[in-house]
Amino acid sequence: MNNDQCCVVSCNKPLDQNYWDGQYKAKSTGWDLGQVSPAIKEYIDTLQNKNCSILIPGCGNTYEAEYLLQQGFTNITVIDIAPTLVENIKQKFVGNSNIKIIHGDFFEHQAQYDLIIEQTFFCALPPTMRQKYVWKMHQLLVKDGILGGLLFNRSFELGPPFGGRQEEYEKLFNSAFDFLKIDVAQNSIAPRANSELFFEFKKNSSVKVNLYQFEGMACESSLTTATTNFEGLNDVLNTSMSTNFTEVLIVSKKEILIEELQKAISYDEKYSITKSY
């Protein structure tokens, strides 16, 4: 389909299980290409180890998994929060032991993977969850594991999908991952030409990637000082705060004491920081 938008119900509703299940029940899946994305297909064709463990989060109708199976891959996991969709794909792959299909919340999933394929999952999440996305991806990958796929390189008036730009992504993933590739996809379908980035990031296993709850900040004008203070601490490599100012992603060479982080924001008595996980 040419229309990437979904949203058959009010976009003011939470983007939760009920929302996404409603999209599949209403067959309002404008993001669904009806085939594996050409860029991801080309990438899959370069993979040599057919037994590597692969995760596809927010899998949708998962043409990627179908193509992987056709190419002989044997260890595929897909996860989605929408029960109607999950039942459909369970029927689609019934009896196939090379794929595991999970109905559940990606952020509660516990496992380890060699490769995670990103295809319209990142853009379906509220932008406030992007720091949590980076943290969880880092957690789920094995040492030197790969996160690869497509990100939108454009903005949308309404969402989902929610877009972004290359410089935003590079700041968000900086230090938690090594950038092997990030560039405009050369083989997107026509409606998405020049609006997709293909990326391949390798987990940086030598760093600590932690997510923290942040309280007390109410506006963007205060953001720069807080993040600058965090990044001024010894061993901190990168800091990123969510757009609603409630979560902070901190990448560091070693574990930073919570007392040090709190001290960095002690200039405002309203601010407090606690570790999320």
Side-chain angles (χ1 to χ4, degrees), residues 56-177:
I56 305 174
C59 62
N61 285 306
T62 198
Y63 307 106
E64 297 75 30
E66 188 172 9
Y67 185 70
L68 285 162
L69 291 168
Q70 290 171 357
Q71 301 309 303
F73 287 84
T74 63
N75 190 1
I76 305 161
T77 301
V78 300
I79 185 170
D80 204 284
I81 202 170
T84 298
L85 166 74
V86 170
E87 287 306 309
N88 289 341
I89 59 178
K90 281 182 177 178
Q91 292 302 312
K92 182 177 182 179
F93 297 114
V94 65
N96 193 325
S97 61
N98 293 325
I99 183 170
K100 182 179 181 181
I101 301 163
I102 300 173
H103 171 235
D105 184 342
F106 164 78
F107 292 100
E108 296 178 0
H109 185 54
Q110 299 294 325
Q112 290 271 276
Y113 297 95
D114 299 306
L115 169 65
I116 302 177
I117 295 177
E118 167 56 54
Q119 166 65 352
T120 67
F121 178 55
F122 180 92
C123 70
L125 295 170
T128 55
M129 298 186 72
R130 291 185 173 180
Q131 285 69 26
K132 191 173 185 179
Y133 174 102
V134 175
W135 165 79
K136 188 63 179 181
M137 289 296 181
H138 194 272
Q139 182 188 68
L140 289 174
L141 286 166
V142 301
K143 182 180 179 180
D144 298 330
I146 298 293
L147 171 63
L150 293 168
L151 297 168
F152 276 116
N153 191 33
R154 56 160 293 190
S155 299
F156 293 90
E157 185 175 348
L158 297 172
F162 301 97
R165 297 294 179 184
Q166 181 171 341
E167 55 269 25
E168 297 173 39
Y169 305 141
E170 289 177 345
K171 175 66 174 76
L172 178 65
F173 288 91
N174 184 36
S175 299
F177 290 84

